Amino acid sequence: MPRISLPLRLAAAIVATALTLAGCSRVGIAYNTGDFLVTAYAKDYLDLEQGQLQRWEPLLDAELSRHRAEELPYLAAYFDQILAASEAGFDTRNMDCLTGQFRDIYRRQARFAVNLAAPLLAELTPAQIERLDQRFREEAAEDRAEIAGRSTAREKEKRARRYVKSIEDWTGPLSAEQRAIVAEVTGRMPDTQASLVDYRTAKREKLIALIRNKAAEPQIEQFLADWLVDFDDLPPELDQGGRELGERIDELFVNLGRTFDASQRDRLNKRLRSLRDDFMQLQKQPRMAPMTC
């Protein structure tokens, strides 16, 4: 699967890890060690020097504090909304609502990542820029080689297996009928991987050019925000593919949700409730942000 963009990996070290865990202690460990995880990742990926890290750490501390105060209420509220939809039964109306809310959650996390990445990118040395450029080129070549060697039928099978595994983490084992639903719906998901790699490669090339030309931090930040937060120049095929993917995911939730037995639904709801409560408990002044469709 083609890689996500560099800035989002910084946020992923905190947020995405937490979203895949259940249980307060595990989520708490993932979130409360976020400064270590993000620093280690940034140091490794950008080959940062100690002085660069030391200058960046006050910003990281400030952003993590802001994230705890401003973003955790949205994450808590989002899981509360999913729980309410699950308890009522997933349908077209509540899935449309959840999909829209997920886009908002994504943009908020992407903004967090951009705030962290822009200062680091703005002060990379020429040698670090060359290594980053080389890393980007190698990753693009690997992704294109992977895409060229794929079989459509095999890719659909792999995608279905990935979805089954992910769903079973939340519900427990799926029945043969449920696995068939997953295979059928995911088999109709759009394949935009080649276009995505081309688009991301072009954006990375522009980013490298900006950095080489010693662009100021605000200019780099704006470039990243336009790209990763606002999708200002997303190609039509990727925009359409994203919409179709959202439709298939909505369909999967609705169709699969109708087949959940009591044990599966109880396990799903217990985990959703646990994550909502975890994100509440991680706040100094617990609250859920208002979220409306």
Side-chain angles (χ1 to χ4, degrees):
M1 180 181 294
R3 300 164 180 82
I4 60 175
S5 300
L6 165 64
L8 293 186
R9 295 183 184 182
L10 297 173
I14 300 172
V15 180
T17 300
L19 297 185
T20 61
L21 299 175
C24 181
S25 62
R26 296 173 69 192
V27 173
I29 290 171
Y31 192 84
N32 290 324
T33 59
D35 54 347
F36 171 78
L37 295 173
V38 173
T39 299
Y41 177 81
K43 183 177 186 297
D44 176 68
Y45 199 91
L46 297 175
D47 195 21
L48 297 175
E49 299 170 356
Q50 192 60 35
Q52 292 171 312
L53 287 172
Q54 289 174 345
R55 289 190 292 276
W56 181 62
E57 283 171 354
L59 171 65
L60 175 59
D61 291 342
E63 277 297 301
L64 286 172
S65 294
R66 185 193 65 77
H67 193 277
R68 185 184 293 270
E70 299 178 13
E71 304 305 332
L72 290 187
Y74 282 92
L75 289 169
Y78 186 61
F79 280 98
D80 189 60
Q81 292 285 327
I82 302 174
L83 174 62
S86 177
E87 291 176 335
F90 296 113
D91 57 30
T92 302
R93 184 195 61 79
N94 58 36
M95 283 309 304
D96 284 347
C97 177
L98 290 174
T99 299
Q101 290 174 342
F102 177 79
R103 293 192 186 101
D104 292 339
I105 289 286
Y106 163 81
R107 286 189 169 94
R108 296 185 72 91
Q109 307 317 311
R111 168 53 70 179
F112 167 69
V114 166
N115 291 347
L116 289 177
L120 291 175
L121 294 170
E123 69 162 59
L124 292 181
T125 67
Q128 289 170 330
I129 294 170
E130 292 307 313
R131 286 192 290 271
L132 180 61
D133 185 30
Q134 181 62 29
R135 187 164 195 167
F136 283 167
R137 292 176 186 275
E138 290 173 355
E139 290 181 351
E142 290 171 4
D143 286 338
R144 286 181 172 132
E146 179 185 336
I147 290 169
R150 290 189 311 172
S151 132
T152 300
R154 185 177 178 186
E155 186 59 27
K156 287 183 178 181
E157 292 174 0
K158 289 169 60 178
R159 183 192 304 152
R161 286 198 299 269
R162 288 196 302 269
Y163 271 83
V164 166
K165 184 177 185 299
S166 178
I167 292 166
E168 287 185 336
D169 284 343
W170 293 80
T171 65
L174 298 181
S175 68
E177 175 193 1
Q178 291 170 328
R179 286 171 176 259
I181 291 172
V182 174
E184 195 280 324
V185 176
T186 60
R188 291 186 283 110
M189 288 179 171
D191 183 0
T192 58
Q193 299 297 355
S195 297
L196 178 61
V197 170
D198 289 343
Y199 171 67
R200 191 197 58 214
T201 299
K203 298 299 288 186
R204 283 178 161 186
E205 289 172 352
K206 291 179 179 178
L207 175 61
I208 290 293
L210 271 179
I211 301 169
R212 281 198 177 120
N213 289 331
K214 303 186 185 303
E217 180 184 325
Q219 187 179 357
I220 294 173
E221 182 177 339
Q222 186 61 56
F223 175 84
L224 293 174
D226 290 344
W227 171 16
L228 300 168
V229 180
D230 298 323
F231 312 119
D232 273 1
D233 62 350
L234 194 67
E237 63 270 24
L238 287 180
D239 182 55
Q240 180 61 28
R243 294 178 187 278
E244 291 178 10
L245 178 61
E247 291 170 2
R248 297 291 79 75
I249 290 176
D250 288 358
E251 183 181 354
L252 181 59
F253 269 78
V254 173
N255 292 351
L256 200 58
R258 295 188 183 117
T259 71
F260 287 157
D261 61 28
S263 174
Q264 289 172 325
R265 191 170 297 281
D266 286 348
R267 175 167 167 162
L268 172 62
N269 290 349
K270 181 179 179 181
R271 188 169 181 189
L272 290 169
R273 192 175 295 110
S274 176
L275 281 167
R276 177 201 63 191
D277 294 346
D278 292 347
F279 286 120
M280 291 287 287
Q281 292 169 15
L282 284 166
Q283 301 175 54
K284 293 182 177 178
Q285 297 179 320
R287 67 185 180 90
M288 284 192 285
M291 298 185 75
T292 59
C293 297

